[in-house]
Amino acid sequence: RSAPVELATTDQSVLVTREHIAALLNGYIERKLSPLELRYLASALDISPDAKYDSEVVCQVVFNLSSDEDVDAEQLLRELGHGAAA
C-alpha cells in the first residue's frame, strides 16, 4: 500500500549525499524507519526536481530504494562505500 507523495518545490537545489542516504539506510537497519517509510522518503527524493545527487551511485541507490519492495540495506550501504550500522 502506498501514499501519494506531494512536494512543494523551492527552486533551490538540495544536494543529496552518500551520508544522507547512509543515514536513511542505517535508520532502516536499526528499525527506526519501516520499509514503507524508507520507500516513501526515497520516492520523494527521486521525483523532486530540487534534489541533486553528489554521484551517480547515490542517484541509483535512491532510485532502487524508491522502486524495490525488498531492500538489502547492507548491500546498498556497501555500494555507497559505507559499512553497516554497528
Side-chain angles (χ1 to χ4, degrees):
R1 196 167 131 178
S2 64
V5 176
E6 294 183 24
L7 300 173
T9 61
T10 62
D11 294 327
Q12 295 180 353
S13 294
V14 175
L15 183 63
V16 180
T17 67
R18 292 171 188 258
E19 288 73 25
H20 293 130
I21 304 308
L24 290 176
L25 289 166
N26 281 315
Y28 173 76
I29 290 169
E30 296 166 2
R31 299 187 189 270
K32 294 177 182 175
L33 290 174
S34 72
L36 180 61
E37 291 167 326
L38 181 61
R39 197 165 46 255
Y40 185 88
L41 291 168
S43 294
L45 289 172
D46 189 41
I47 66 173
S48 173
D50 295 334
K52 305 297 180 224
Y53 303 100
D54 72 348
S55 71
E56 184 60 34
V57 171
V58 173
C59 182
Q60 188 62 47
V61 168
V62 169
F63 175 77
N64 290 343
L65 285 172
S66 70
S67 57
D68 287 345
E69 291 285 324
D70 296 319
V71 173
D72 185 345
E74 292 184 9
Q75 173 60 36
L76 293 174
L77 281 171
R78 284 190 294 275
E79 289 178 26
L80 291 171
H82 287 263

